[in-house]
Amino acid sequence: MCAVDFTSARATAVLPRTTRAAAQARRVLATVCVGDAAAEDTAALLLSEVVSNAVRHADGSTIKVIVSRDDVCGAVTGAVFDSTARMGEGARRGDGPLDELETGRGLDILDVLADMWGVTRVGESGKWVWFRIADRDRVRTATAA
C-alpha cells in the first residue's frame, strides 16, 4: 500500500521497497511537476535511479520519497530515504568492456544531470539520497535580464 500526502508544491510517499517503487515514485513526481515537461523528464529519470538503488541495495520493507517544486526559481528536488545508513560502492557489473557494463551508472547519471545531489545520513537509522535540478529556462531568463 502507498501512503501519499500532497500539497501544491510537495508530495511525500511511503512506498513498499519493491520493483514497482520507481514507477510509483514517478507518479508522485507527476503531481508536483505539472506543466514543466523538461524538468519532469529529468527529475523522473533521477528519481527512478535513486529509488532503484534503494530497492536494490537497502534494507527494510519501505522507502520514503519526497518531491518538491520551488515556484520562485523553478527548481525540483527529490529525496529518497532508506533504512540502510551505509552507501554502496556503485560497482559496475557485466562481462564486457567498461562502456558495455549493465549496472552501476546511477551515480554517474546524478553527476551529469543534477545541479546538486548528495547523501545525508540519519545516524544509524538510514540515509537520504537527494538531488536538485533547476528550471534552465528560468535561469537563462533571469541571467539575461
Side-chain angles (χ1 to χ4, degrees):
M1 180 165 187
C2 172
V4 182
D5 173 33
F6 296 102
T7 65
S8 62
R10 177 181 163 129
T12 303
V14 176
L15 305 173
R17 196 176 62 85
T18 67
T19 56
R20 301 199 61 206
Q24 293 169 327
R26 288 190 301 271
R27 284 193 290 277
V28 172
L29 173 72
T31 66
V32 171
C33 289
V34 290
D36 188 353
E40 184 177 350
D41 286 347
T42 301
L45 175 61
L46 297 178
L47 189 61
S48 293
E49 287 296 330
V50 175
V51 167
S52 295
N53 282 347
V55 167
R56 185 173 187 164
H57 301 292
D59 299 321
S61 60
T62 62
I63 60 173
K64 184 173 185 177
V65 175
I66 298 176
V67 183
S68 63
R69 181 189 74 244
D70 182 331
D71 286 330
V72 174
C73 67
V76 175
T77 302
V80 176
F81 180 83
D82 66 63
S83 61
T84 302
R86 67 176 161 36
M87 186 71 172
E89 318 230 325
R92 294 185 172 152
R93 296 188 183 107
D95 293 332
L98 187 61
D99 63 343
E100 294 179 12
L101 298 182
E102 296 175 9
T103 64
R105 290 192 168 71
L107 299 181
D108 293 342
I109 292 170
L110 280 169
D111 274 338
V112 170
L113 296 179
D115 294 303
M116 299 178 354
W117 75 273
V119 179
T120 304
R121 286 178 180 73
V122 184
E124 293 301 313
S125 299
K127 68 182 170 303
W128 286 98
V129 179
W130 57 270
F131 63 86
R132 184 171 174 94
I133 58 171
D135 179 338
R136 284 158 179 69
D137 289 333
R138 275 191 204 194
V139 171
R140 274 191 289 259
T141 302
T143 305

